[in-house]
Amino acid sequence: MPSYLSANEAAAALKVSLPTLYAYVSRGLLRSESDGATRKRRYLAEDVWLLTERKHGRRDPQSAARNALHWGMPVLESRLSVIHDGRLFYAGHDAVELAGRCGIEAVASLLWRGELGPLAAEPVPVGAADWKSAARLAERLPALEGLQVFLPLVAAHDPLAYDLRPEAVRRVGARILRVLAAAAVGVAPSADPVARVLQQRWLPRDASAARLLDAALVLYADNGLNPSSFTARCVASAGSTPYAVVSAGLAALQGVKHGGACERAAGLLDEVRDPRSAEAAVTARLRRGEALPGFGHPQYPDGDPRAAYLLDLIAAHRPKSPEAARARALADAVAAALSERPTIDFAVVALCRTLGLPPNAPLLLLGVARVVGWIGHGLEQYQEGRAIRPRARYAGALPSTS
């Protein structure tokens, strides 16, 4: 569906007359604007879709309530991110454009304060001995579980953790972002930019890699009400601390249907020994009736622009990389077979392989970046001031009356 519809198209989609369509506008149910050229009015397609869903919901309210949890009607408001015309926007700014000129700290400021800017270097109130103990434990755990180890440790020493006013939450959010960046690579927290912390540990001799890592972080920062963001909002709605909000987000991200997308995309790339074998690997998957993880995204039917940008960035910075060539060959083979394009998860896996990063690096990048989105959702929910408490329709045995 295009972004805007003509009056006739909108009326046809709603199955109403033009006078009824104009009445919807006057009642505030639809937004319209001049198209600028012919002075005719055009109507926001999303509003038309929402009104259609509302009408359906009135006819079948139980179905509408069920579907609201599965790509159905919006269940709450957010000013953080939106997909419009096949592109992701953070607070009105194109995420890909931001990735080309901003670091993850500036995007955090945008989503937490409403404007691009720096983040304060909040000190981490944990002693070196306690930090080293947590780091030794985290080393023995999977990537995202390892990040979770540090959150209750820091929270227990942070009096700001329990202050849920916006400015305090922003300060704690900046602290958590730097804590998890340091935890991801096994170093002590510092005031250095997040991408630089990662680069200095993973690729100490390649300062240019920080630019690539920052782009991945920015593109991963938020993507609407995915399972981890909705989980984070639920926890914030209960009045829990920002540390608990981020820990809950990490817990949801561990699921095979969420953060597991990175590992599945990596598994597919592992089946491509060299660029010449990409077509055979795709054909073998299709013959076995198996999916091609890392390709095709329901929210980006014409291709994920985040992935396209990151893959182009990899090609520009590492034009002779065998790993980059392998990823490009796989992307071309999938496009030829199914006309599906890479997702951001595949692109981040390709980036990490190209840079020679550890196998868990894609998940660590995702976990660190999403702190920005989770804190943003937490801020919105704290200000909402109400607990998220949907009702379940009881479908079990009736209570005994005997």
Side-chain angles (χ1 to χ4, degrees), residues 21 26 31 37 50 272:
L21 179 75
S26 66
R31 288 170 288 177
L50 286 173
V272 180

PDB file of all heavy atoms in Angstrom, residues 21 26 31 37 50 272:
ATOM      1  N   LEU A  21     -16.365   9.781   3.669  1.00  0.00           N
ATOM      2  CA  LEU A  21     -14.918   9.939   3.822  1.00  0.00           C
ATOM      3  C   LEU A  21     -14.597  11.330   4.379  1.00  0.00           C
ATOM      4  O   LEU A  21     -13.797  11.469   5.313  1.00  0.00           O
ATOM      5  CB  LEU A  21     -14.224   9.741   2.474  1.00  0.00           C
ATOM      6  CG  LEU A  21     -12.696   9.894   2.475  1.00  0.00           C
ATOM      7  CD1 LEU A  21     -12.051   8.678   3.112  1.00  0.00           C
ATOM      8  CD2 LEU A  21     -12.175  10.088   1.049  1.00  0.00           C
ATOM      9  N   SER A  26     -13.396  15.235   9.118  1.00  0.00           N
ATOM     10  CA  SER A  26     -13.869  16.288  10.024  1.00  0.00           C
ATOM     11  C   SER A  26     -13.968  15.803  11.457  1.00  0.00           C
ATOM     12  O   SER A  26     -13.826  16.591  12.401  1.00  0.00           O
ATOM     13  CB  SER A  26     -15.223  16.810   9.542  1.00  0.00           C
ATOM     14  OG  SER A  26     -16.222  15.794   9.656  1.00  0.00           O
ATOM     15  N   ARG A  31      -6.466  11.636   8.531  1.00  0.00           N
ATOM     16  CA  ARG A  31      -5.691  12.828   8.239  1.00  0.00           C
ATOM     17  C   ARG A  31      -5.577  12.999   6.723  1.00  0.00           C
ATOM     18  O   ARG A  31      -5.378  12.021   6.005  1.00  0.00           O
ATOM     19  CB  ARG A  31      -4.295  12.739   8.851  1.00  0.00           C
ATOM     20  CG  ARG A  31      -4.252  12.887  10.357  1.00  0.00           C
ATOM     21  CD  ARG A  31      -2.874  12.554  10.912  1.00  0.00           C
ATOM     22  NE  ARG A  31      -2.611  11.117  10.846  1.00  0.00           N
ATOM     23  CZ  ARG A  31      -1.451  10.559  11.214  1.00  0.00           C
ATOM     24  NH1 ARG A  31      -0.456  11.322  11.640  1.00  0.00           N
ATOM     25  NH2 ARG A  31      -1.292   9.252  11.144  1.00  0.00           N
ATOM     26  N   ALA A  37       0.434  19.727  -5.854  1.00  0.00           N
ATOM     27  CA  ALA A  37       0.446  19.967  -7.293  1.00  0.00           C
ATOM     28  C   ALA A  37      -0.934  20.361  -7.807  1.00  0.00           C
ATOM     29  O   ALA A  37      -1.112  21.402  -8.449  1.00  0.00           O
ATOM     30  CB  ALA A  37       0.954  18.730  -8.025  1.00  0.00           C
ATOM     31  N   LEU A  50      -5.887   1.675   9.613  1.00  0.00           N
ATOM     32  CA  LEU A  50      -6.299   1.609  11.015  1.00  0.00           C
ATOM     33  C   LEU A  50      -7.813   1.715  11.150  1.00  0.00           C
ATOM     34  O   LEU A  50      -8.424   1.000  11.959  1.00  0.00           O
ATOM     35  CB  LEU A  50      -5.627   2.725  11.813  1.00  0.00           C
ATOM     36  CG  LEU A  50      -4.146   2.549  12.124  1.00  0.00           C
ATOM     37  CD1 LEU A  50      -3.588   3.805  12.777  1.00  0.00           C
ATOM     38  CD2 LEU A  50      -3.928   1.351  13.030  1.00  0.00           C
ATOM     39  N   VAL A 272      28.374 -21.786   2.918  1.00  0.00           N
ATOM     40  CA  VAL A 272      28.984 -21.277   1.682  1.00  0.00           C
ATOM     41  C   VAL A 272      30.498 -21.282   1.870  1.00  0.00           C
ATOM     42  O   VAL A 272      31.055 -20.418   2.534  1.00  0.00           O
ATOM     43  CB  VAL A 272      28.471 -19.859   1.359  1.00  0.00           C
ATOM     44  CG1 VAL A 272      29.117 -19.338   0.080  1.00  0.00           C
ATOM     45  CG2 VAL A 272      26.957 -19.859   1.239  1.00  0.00           C
TER      46      VAL A 272
END
